[in-house]
Structure formats: structure tokens, C-alpha cells
Amino acid sequence: MNMDLLIEIKKKREFAKLDDKLVLKLLQRNKSYKKFLQTENERYGKIAVKEVRALLRKIITPMPKKFYKKFESYKDNIDKSEAIEELLNLNRATKEREKVYPWLADLLSSRRIADFGCGFNLLGLYKNGMNFSDKIYVGYDADGYATEIVEEFARKKGINAKIIKSDITSINFEKEKADISLFLKVLDALEELELGFSKKILTLKGKKIVSFSLKSLSGKKIRERIWFEKLLQKQNIKFEKIVKEYEVFYLF
Ligand SMILES: C[S@@+](CC[C@H](N)C(=O)[O-])C[C@H]1O[C@@H](n2cnc3c(N)ncnc32)[C@H](O)[C@@H]1O
């Protein structure tokens, strides 16, 4: 394994805090990277770096530049409502869910909540009145920028939370014990990483909520994920489908 390329990929500020294992996984399956290892031709190395970064941009959906510039300040002030508000507005997933959060916060009454690809969701739930005093929240995300902020937020607010920086496709779901598992706007990215991954989440114990964005980056309406409904139907899993604003939720 060539660690120089990993370091090179992570030189871009938006990828600096990514889970190494996730980046290595993408490198290892990249064709240009394989040619680079065989030939030691630098040109292939450069192509591999470019291609992996392009894929990461799809998977991680980086924040606007302002976020990275002000990251330390956001982290230091994350218990203040102005910082929370600003972050929820900067993050595409939470911004789009603004009007839906009261409904979602109300829906999550279970004790143990696992949030896969959590992003800043905990901030949105907290701001919208979710009571965490009787809950244990476990959040997973491959991006250290998100996990550091959310971990600090939970610490400052006294929320019983465990935030784990990890690639979801490496998690052993059999060991998970949550009452409810969330996969909000993350399955498209996980399918990009590992085709057919969604089938694995069906083995999780407890309830599940899966959502998909219905809005593209450019703001256009995008197709629903009929493939996911077919997957549930094929496994004879009864589900409820709820469309709220720009997001479709599957409860099962
Ligand atoms: C579109 S955001 C959604 C965030 C959050 N679930 C929400 O809806 O507010 C996708 C999140 O999944 C994370 N993510 C993508 N692929 C991941 C992976 N393989 N392992 C862990 N986290 C991942 C990204 O870093 C990002 O925070």
C-alpha cells in the first residue's frame, strides 16, 4: 500500500479528517491505482488521486468553504444557538430538513438510537425539542469534521452519546443493539461504495428509518428510489412510506 497517495488525497482540506480506512478502500479498488502499483508510473498515481477525490465528493458531499475556515470556532462555540443555527443552515441535509425536524424529533421515542452517517443530525434533533435525557445516541460518520463537532456538542449539552468515526460499510451490524437505526440520506453514497450494501441493513435488529433526498445538488427534483422499495418487498418487509418536503422516509 502506498501511503503517499493517501496523504495526497487528504491534503484537500475537505478530506483532511476523513477515516483513513475509507480512503484506502477507494484507492485499493481504483484501476489507475492498480496500474500505478504495477508500473510505478507517477501519472497513474495522479489520476488515481483525482478519481478517488471525485468519488469522495459524491460520497461525503463536502460543506461550503466557510465551514472549514471557521471549523475551530464552530467547535468552540457549538453549545451556542448562533453556531448551531449557522451549521444547520450550512449543511445541505439539515437545511433541507428544517421544517421536517419537529416531526422527526417526535417520531424518535426509542431509548437506543443508532444514526449511521449521522452528519449534524443530532444538532437538528436537539434544536427541535427532542428530549435526550432518557436516550443513548450512537452516531457513526466517516468524516472527522462531523464527528468532532457532534461529539463536542453532546459533551457540552450533557447528552448521553457515543460518536464514532468509522466507515459504515466496515461495521458488523450483528453486534448493533439499537432500538432504532437511522440511515438518513446516506444509502445512495453507501451503494456507490458497495453495490448491494442496503441489503445488509435489513439484518439489523429493531426499527429502521431510511430516507433519501428528493432534490439534486442543483435544486432539481430527483427520482424516488424504487429499487429500495423493491428490495423491501422482495424480503416481505412491511414498510410505511412518508414524503416530507424534499425527503422520502421509509419506516419498517
Ligand atoms: C448527505 S449526509 C447526511 C447526514 C445525516 N444523515 C442527515 O441526514 O442529516 C451523508 C453523511 O454520511 C456520511 N457518510 C457517507 N459515506 C459514509 C461511510 N461510508 N461511512 C460513514 N459515513 C459516511 C457523510 O460523511 C455525511 O456526513
Side-chain angles (χ1 to χ4, degrees), residues 151-167:
E151 194 170 31
E152 185 64 2
F153 175 75
R155 193 184 67 77
K156 284 188 165 158
K157 296 286 186 191
I159 297 171
N160 189 358
K162 198 170 165 197
I163 311 299
I164 303 163
K165 178 172 153 178
S166 157
D167 166 22

Side-chain angles (χ1 to χ4, degrees), residues 110-127:
S110 311
R111 184 171 151 73
R112 287 187 76 100
I113 300 169
D115 194 350
F116 295 93
C118 60
F120 299 116
N121 193 31
L122 181 63
L123 276 63
L125 292 170
Y126 182 91
K127 195 199 151 214

